[in-house]
Amino acid sequence: MNLVAPIAEVALPVALARPLYYSVPEHLAGRLRPGHRVRLPLRGRGTAGFVLSLRRPENLPPELATVSLKPIQGLDPEEVLVSPALLKLAAWMARYYVAPIGMVLETLVPRSVARPPRGAAPAIEVVPGAPVAAAVPRARETEVVPGAHWAGGTADAQGGAAPHPLVLNAAQEEAVARIVADLAARGGATFLLQGVTGSGKTEVYLRATDAALARGLGVLFLVPEIALGTQIVRWVRARFGDQVAEYHSQLKPGERRGAWWRARTGAARVVVGARSALFAPVGDLGLIVIDEEHEPSYKQAETPRYHGRDTALMRARIEGATVVLGSATPSLESRHNADRGKYQHVLLPERVDGRPRARVTLVDLRSGSIDGGGSGSAGGRGASGGIVDGARSSGGAAGSAGELPIVSAGDRDPTDPLTPYLAERLRQTLATGDQAILFLNRRGFSTSVQCRACGHVFECPRCSVTLTHHRTEKVLRCHYCNHTLRDLTTCPGCGGTDFAFSGFGTQRVEAALSRHLPQARVLRMDFDSTRKRGTMAAMVAAFEHGEAEILLGTQMVAKGFDFPRVTLVGVINADREMGLPDFRGQERAFQLLTQVAGRAGRGRKPGEVIFQTYLPDHHVIAAAGLQDFDRFYLRELEERRPLGYPPHRRLANVLFDGTDEAAVIRRAQAEADHLAGTAGLVLLGPAPMPLSRLKDQYRWHLTLIAQNARVLTEALHESVARGTGGQAGGPVRGQAGGRAPGQTGGRVPGQTGGRVRVQADVDPVSML
Ligand code: ADP
Ligand code: ZN
């Protein structure tokens, strides 16, 4: 076979749906491969692109047969960057997520890693068609050191408490055996490892990783964004040492590049990181672990809007790898797949060492005043209906009374986020030398500020949200665009100077703690307090070492931590996610509450969890309080059935945004008209999104529901192509809110600001 092919099909990192063709100059003939990054001339300037395929001139599209093609200028770098398997994955992503292939490839291999660092292993000869790492000598043979199985405990790589040998319990044994059997057979199965919090899932991941390495297979270990600063990453490092590369977007560019190339050369055989680590060039991939598979942070919010879990599953399918999806609270999609036999369902039903689950007590906030803690956000639900706020139901399916103890909030101060019961339990916990975690998924001090004289509410001028008062910095701030208002002395409406602050954020809880427990040392962990690199890890270490008694924070504190001295967990407002106008709101609430409840009582002493709630009878509160996944799952499945919400059917959003609201609406309506009557497709909307304006962009959406993914994909490609004048895609990389060339769909001639961006969001995790 003659490998010299004179024409290269190349994808550029811009919002072009179509690849371009270039001729292959003599000096590259025979050397150029699909997956090479190459330098190209484009409109008189140099640019870089990825080679998708090589072809003979007679296989070109007919309209190009007579055109004289420009030559590729050179390789950049010498090494092939994208393996054949990852090229396949990129093609699938481009199609499934309706994104330009060039932008997908730019996501797979970001510019910052594209060149080998100095001192990297020598360039690798790549045999076409062979997996990239096949020709690479292992940098280090995997050794299975006797006694190397250590519990994570609170030990860290830098030497904390001494690790102790660990004996798997029966459920862990069985889980490991099933996974290892599939690895050994290269069966390519997907396991849903559903284990209650504290059931020892991490140890199962680590043993499976061990087994893969022992067979010479590479491992991808994915954790949610939020878990990066936490213990699990350290445990992987402690166990597998220098075979591990950490790869994620929070690294400095140099570190990221180093990690990428350590994977590429085979020096690192385990790559651990957030979403984007799924693209790491690990050769001979045998195992992909996805911890907390239900986490919404696995979905990327910009083009390409891929889901990290689902894309990893596709990579595993292409490369024949085994997948372990782990969670205490699986997504409805994954659990449904397990029920349908698509995944193997593996259960860890008990906490390790027979430790009891934490006891949950509800504090009924309704007996207090209605001001304050966000009663407005409770109850009510998007289109799927079914949840009613308010009065205690008498019996009925929702009733949790009798199953979980309920305490009245009594004579509480409505401006105080801590009810007397919670404050008292905190005091007792600290008195016995234990630690506590407090959870409130809202940062800042108060979430709304209103002039008492004229009623003016401070809102963001660019977004359809109220500004949050940050007392520590003395500002009002928008949590979506960061718009900041410094002058809080007078009302812009009437000049008034008296303001009402309502709604709780973490800073307000912090202030309350210093009143109730002036001696307590409190760590506040939220977006504002962890912006500086390394601060989150430092806080975790400080809390671990007992330098504080209370860890207070947003969802950052809800997940993944294993602090054996925590015996009390308090949830300031358990209802917050429930009222979101999103069909996944209840799922999110259940997951968060279950996860946070799982933080208590992980050591020898049993734990207590307190949910402060206005909805003590709500079935989600009850299911989370009892840590009863099936109870939640079966009911939620039924509630989603009438409209065919996932997992029953497939769902996608077509997103329309622009600065001219009328143009946005026209474009959305036109698209609805186009798609109306498509066989197998149900349309909801068009409607404004719940966050109807962000950063000056008006936002509308059209929701598509279909029985099968193919109908959905085709409809989306048509919509996006119509919306962008023939090109699928989103904004050009690096240009916030910018538009791709040719993205002028919906523009009214002579009218500026009428441009509307049309994007697809397939399998959205947020409808907001
Ligand atoms: P999960 O991720 O399921 O919530 P973890 O993996 O964090 O649980 O495990 C909880 C704790 O139990 C950790 O400290 C871990 O080291 C410990 N552990 C795991 N397996 C065992 C075992 N078989 N025996 C004793 N301790 C264990
Ligand atoms: Zn804003």
Side-chain angles (χ1 to χ4, degrees):
M1 185 173 73
N2 182 4
L3 285 172
V4 181
I7 308 292
E9 182 195 15
V10 180
L12 301 181
V14 292
L16 278 177
R18 271 174 297 110
L20 301 173
Y21 294 89
Y22 289 85
S23 66
V24 178
E26 198 130 323
H27 70 277
L28 290 179
R31 276 209 292 151
L32 192 68
R33 303 271 177 263
H36 257 131
R37 190 170 184 269
V38 290
R39 282 194 308 278
L40 307 158
L42 180 76
R43 294 195 202 112
R45 285 186 299 138
T47 185
F50 287 94
V51 176
L52 297 178
S53 73
L54 297 168
R55 5 181 126 188
R56 310 187 149 283
E58 56 269 30
N59 295 334
L60 275 187
E63 69 275 16
L64 288 177
T66 54
V67 187
S68 89
L69 299 174
K70 295 212 175 69
I72 285 175
Q73 288 166 338
L75 302 181
D76 182 17
E78 289 290 319
E79 293 88 344
V80 171
L81 294 185
V82 190
S83 69
L86 286 172
L87 272 181
K88 243 191 217 172
L89 185 69
W92 173 80
M93 287 173 72
R95 174 96 194 127
Y96 186 77
Y97 291 110
V98 199
I101 179 93
M103 288 178 74
V104 171
L105 284 164
E106 178 91 342
T107 304
L108 258 73
V109 187
R111 184 168 300 199
S112 58
V113 307
R115 295 220 182 93
R118 255 178 295 152
I124 300 137
E125 193 45 51
V126 177
V127 186
V132 167
V136 183
R138 281 292 114 63
R140 192 185 114 157
E141 277 310 320
T142 308
E143 301 163 57
V144 183
V145 183
H149 299 297
W150 304 112
T154 53
D156 59 33
Q158 291 83 48
H164 55 278
L166 191 99
V167 182
L168 295 184
N169 63 33
Q172 286 173 315
E173 280 289 3
E174 194 199 324
V176 171
R178 286 176 66 183
I179 295 163
V180 172
D182 187 72
L183 266 173
R186 306 277 354 239
T190 299
F191 294 88
L192 175 61
L193 179 66
Q194 184 179 346
V196 297
T197 52
S199 60
K201 292 184 288 294
T202 312
E203 192 56 33
V204 174
Y205 304 149
L206 296 177
R207 300 282 173 119
T209 300
D210 231 357
L213 290 175
R215 286 168 177 75
L217 300 171
V219 179
L220 291 176
F221 205 120
L222 306 185
V223 298
E225 210 79 56
I226 224 125
L228 283 175
T230 67
Q231 293 139 319
I232 189 163
V233 175
R234 273 159 41 207
W235 294 359
V236 175
R237 270 203 178 287
R239 187 75 63 95
F240 302 106
D242 59 8
Q243 298 183 86
V244 178
E246 243 179 85
Y247 181 81
H248 46 80
S249 51
Q250 286 172 27
L251 297 176
K252 292 180 187 146
E255 296 169 339
R256 199 157 178 229
R257 184 161 68 148
W260 196 92
W261 283 91
R262 286 181 60 228
R264 174 68 176 79
T265 58
R269 300 293 291 143
V270 181
V271 171
V272 52
R275 186 175 64 229
S276 61
L278 89 91
F279 303 120
V282 171
D284 296 333
L285 185 64
L287 175 70
I288 304 181
V289 171
I290 305 177
D291 187 33
E292 309 292 2
E293 64 86 24
H294 63 276
E295 272 295 317
S297 68
Y298 280 120
K299 187 90 189 321
Q300 173 148 301
E302 310 94 49
T303 306
R305 294 169 183 265
Y306 67 95
H307 199 301
R309 176 196 60 217
D310 300 337
T311 307
L313 281 163
M314 184 50 71
R315 178 168 182 188
R317 193 198 284 186
I318 292 169
E319 304 198 33
T322 302
V323 179
V324 178
L325 305 173
S327 178
T329 52
S331 61
L332 260 73
E333 285 83 351
S334 292
R335 174 55 192 268
H336 194 57
N337 279 331
D339 287 350
R340 293 192 300 159
K342 276 186 76 177
Y343 300 165
Q344 300 204 33
H345 201 185
V346 182
L347 292 165
L348 301 180
E350 300 297 336
R351 281 188 159 188
V352 295
D353 282 353
R355 289 169 204 157
R357 294 183 205 169
R359 182 167 52 90
V360 175
T361 303
L362 307 181
V363 175
D364 186 348
L365 294 172
R366 290 173 307 178
S367 36
S369 156
I370 47 161
D371 176 40
S375 59
S377 74
R381 168 163 204 205
S384 66
I387 306 311
V388 185
D389 191 0
R392 182 185 293 259
S393 66
S394 48
S400 68
E403 289 177 280
L404 295 170
I406 302 183
V407 176
S408 158
D411 211 5
R412 76 187 176 102
D413 168 4
T415 62
D416 188 342
L418 304 180
T419 55
Y421 181 77
L422 177 55
E424 182 52 29
R425 291 292 299 116
L426 273 171
R427 213 167 285 126
Q428 290 165 2
T429 302
L430 269 48
T432 53
D434 294 334
Q435 291 177 308
I437 289 179
L438 288 182
F439 169 64
L440 175 60
N441 205 9
R442 195 89 196 229
R443 62 195 172 93
F445 190 83
S446 54
T447 53
S448 159
V449 181
Q450 188 171 24
C451 171
R452 285 196 204 270
C454 74
H456 173 83
V457 175
F458 288 81
E459 286 173 354
C460 178
R462 306 181 58 205
C463 309
S464 55
V465 297
T466 55
L467 296 172
T468 297
H469 179 219
H470 286 246
R471 201 168 74 163
T472 28
E473 300 114 297
K474 299 190 174 60
V475 295
L476 294 182
R477 181 169 286 151
C478 172
H479 284 184
Y480 291 90
C481 73
N482 222 28
H483 175 85
T484 304
L485 203 67
R486 284 180 198 287
D487 179 22
L488 231 194
T489 49
T490 52
C491 169
C494 70
T497 54
D498 188 16
F499 301 107
F501 298 87
S502 56
F504 300 148
T506 45
Q507 292 182 3
R508 190 152 176 162
V509 181
E510 192 176 29
L513 283 170
S514 70
R515 280 199 314 275
H516 286 279
L517 300 154
Q519 313 299 334
R521 291 168 298 174
V522 178
L523 285 169
R524 195 189 89 227
M525 188 188 278
D526 55 29
F527 179 79
D528 301 304
S529 70
T530 56
R531 246 182 267 198
K532 238 181 79 204
R533 211 175 110 99
T535 46
M536 178 161 172
M539 279 190 197
V540 172
F543 195 58
E544 230 167 34
H545 297 141
E547 289 160 30
E549 288 81 34
I550 299 176
L551 178 65
L552 154 72
T554 53
Q555 52 174 328
M556 289 181 183
V557 305
K559 301 162 187 179
F561 287 130
D562 186 30
F563 296 121
R565 283 178 51 206
V566 170
T567 56
L568 180 69
V569 166
V571 178
I572 304 295
N573 177 359
D575 313 331
R576 221 183 85 75
E577 334 296 314
M578 218 104 77
L580 295 178
D582 185 327
F583 73 91
R584 292 190 207 271
Q586 295 199 145
E587 183 178 9
R588 199 76 72 234
F590 174 76
Q591 289 164 348
L592 269 173
L593 293 175
T594 308
Q595 294 289 337
V596 74
R599 298 314 111 206
R602 293 169 78 92
R604 252 172 286 277
K605 281 199 206 171
E608 182 184 3
V609 180
I610 296 169
F611 290 170
Q612 300 192 140
T613 174
Y614 287 92
L615 304 166
D617 299 324
H618 198 291
H619 75 277
V620 168
I621 300 279
L626 298 165
Q627 305 253 310
D628 187 344
F629 178 84
D630 278 22
R631 175 173 172 152
F632 161 76
Y633 167 71
L634 294 170
R635 174 143 179 188
E636 183 69 18
L637 209 54
E638 283 321 301
E639 291 193 3
R640 291 192 190 178
R641 197 184 294 281
L643 275 168
Y645 281 129
H648 301 291
R649 287 163 189 249
R650 312 299 293 251
L651 185 147
N653 262 326
V654 187
L655 311 174
F656 305 87
D657 63 12
T659 51
D660 179 343
E661 188 174 23
V664 171
I665 297 172
R666 267 199 307 278
R667 188 79 209 87
Q669 190 54 56
E671 209 40 61
D673 295 342
H674 269 297
L675 292 176
T678 307
L681 200 63
V682 172
L683 300 182
L684 305 179
M689 301 202 72
L691 293 165
S692 60
R693 186 163 162 254
L694 283 184
K695 301 180 187 176
D696 287 326
Q697 304 287 314
Y698 289 93
R699 309 165 75 234
W700 278 59
H701 66 154
L702 184 60
T703 300
L704 279 49
I705 299 178
Q707 186 67 58
N708 75 49
R710 203 176 42 78
V711 173
L712 212 55
T713 307
E714 267 160 31
L716 291 169
H717 275 274
E718 286 170 22
S719 287
V720 172
R722 271 192 293 267
T724 56
Q727 300 294 344
V732 176
R733 170 192 39 73
Q735 256 178 272
R739 302 224 167 17
Q743 267 195 307
T744 52
R747 182 172 192 167
V748 180
Q751 182 184 324
T752 53
R755 284 188 294 184
V756 178
R757 182 169 62 161
V758 182
Q759 292 176 285
D761 188 2
V762 180
D763 305 328
V765 300
S766 167
M767 303 289 283
L768 305 179

